[in-house]
Amino acid sequence: MNAGSAGSGAGPSRTFRVALAISTCCYVLTVACGMYAVSGGLPAFLQVCLWGVHGVVLALLLRRLGPTETALGAALLAVAASAAAGYVAGLAREDLTLRQRGEQVAVTVVAERLDPAEGRKGRHSHYTLERAEDGSTIPGEMETTSDLYDVGRRLTVLVDPEGEIHPRTPGQADPAAELAGAAGLMLVAVAGVGWVAWRGRRREGGRASAPGAAGAAGHPRGGGAGGPAA
């Protein structure tokens, strides 16, 4: 009877822990996506404050899953990984925008300009482009990290109709590497939540087995206090 009651009592606790862990993971992902969406229009100081508030809330949630020291460490890891993921994803923001609204245009390189030499710093190349069909100038210069194209070279580039983003070749506007890096960092953040839940469950299991061990130690072999009298 007692064993059945204990088993039924352990079930809700385990279910609650799993539900809380899943909810916390969803919270981490939601905050990261929300911060990425608004980061372009927020001052850096305000972003730091929001990440700090997120860290406090996350630490409180993780404290219900595991030990305090583990929860604080995992909260710090999750916030750092989420912020880094937002930064990496931000590097792909222009590429994603250009792929979404840009148009492919055949162009001709009509001029090339190199950055001034500054010690060992790499010199980027800047190209002036013209449409191959009518000779009109493409707004903005295309930039590369090295001297890739000669004057007179014909290329296919993505051009922003609104002129906010400089033209790029389809290969330059590929955000796959940045998105993969951001996804990997978010996996680290979510893994931190799972680690706290595992540590909490392990500690809880150790505490549950301790009373049984103490009770067994309190009853020596051959009978207890009611043993045969001398």
Side-chain angles (χ1 to χ4, degrees):
M1 185 69 177
N2 292 337
S5 301
S8 61
S13 175
R14 183 180 305 171
T15 302
F16 172 77
R17 183 178 295 277
V18 172
L20 181 59
I22 294 175
S23 300
T24 305
C25 290
C26 293
Y27 167 72
V28 170
L29 295 174
T30 301
V31 170
C33 293
M35 287 296 294
Y36 168 77
V38 303
S39 60
L42 292 180
F45 175 75
L46 184 55
Q47 293 185 44
V48 172
C49 292
L50 290 176
W51 280 118
V53 172
H54 168 54
V56 172
V57 174
L58 183 59
L60 293 175
L61 291 174
L62 292 178
R63 180 62 188 85
R64 303 187 67 182
L65 285 172
T68 301
E69 62 278 6
T70 305
L72 292 177
L76 180 61
L77 173 65
V79 171
S82 299
Y87 172 77
V88 173
L91 298 178
R93 190 188 301 271
E94 290 189 349
D95 292 337
L96 292 170
T97 302
L98 193 58
R99 282 187 168 271
Q100 180 179 7
R101 72 186 185 198
E103 57 176 324
Q104 286 197 1
V105 179
V107 299
T108 303
V109 179
V110 295
E112 179 183 2
R113 176 178 61 85
L114 288 175
D115 286 339
E118 298 180 10
R120 297 184 178 181
K121 182 180 178 181
R123 302 177 65 185
H124 290 196
S125 296
H126 305 266
Y127 302 94
T128 302
L129 309 174
E130 288 184 353
R131 292 178 181 266
E133 56 183 11
D134 57 12
S136 59
T137 302
I138 300 295
E141 294 179 321
M142 183 177 71
E143 180 180 352
T144 61
T145 56
S146 58
D147 184 9
L148 296 178
Y149 310 112
D150 298 323
V151 175
R153 175 76 176 272
R154 289 204 168 191
L155 304 169
T156 298
V157 298
L158 292 172
V159 178
D160 182 13
E162 301 181 11
E164 297 178 356
I165 304 175
H166 288 217
R168 300 174 186 176
T169 64
Q172 287 178 310
D174 184 6
E178 288 83 0
L179 294 180
L185 289 168
M186 287 309 304
L187 183 61
V188 171
V190 171
V193 176
W195 178 53
V196 175
W198 177 78
R199 285 292 303 274
R201 179 61 183 169
R202 188 177 181 186
R203 172 175 289 193
E204 190 177 83
R207 288 176 178 175
S209 62
H219 295 283
R221 294 181 182 178

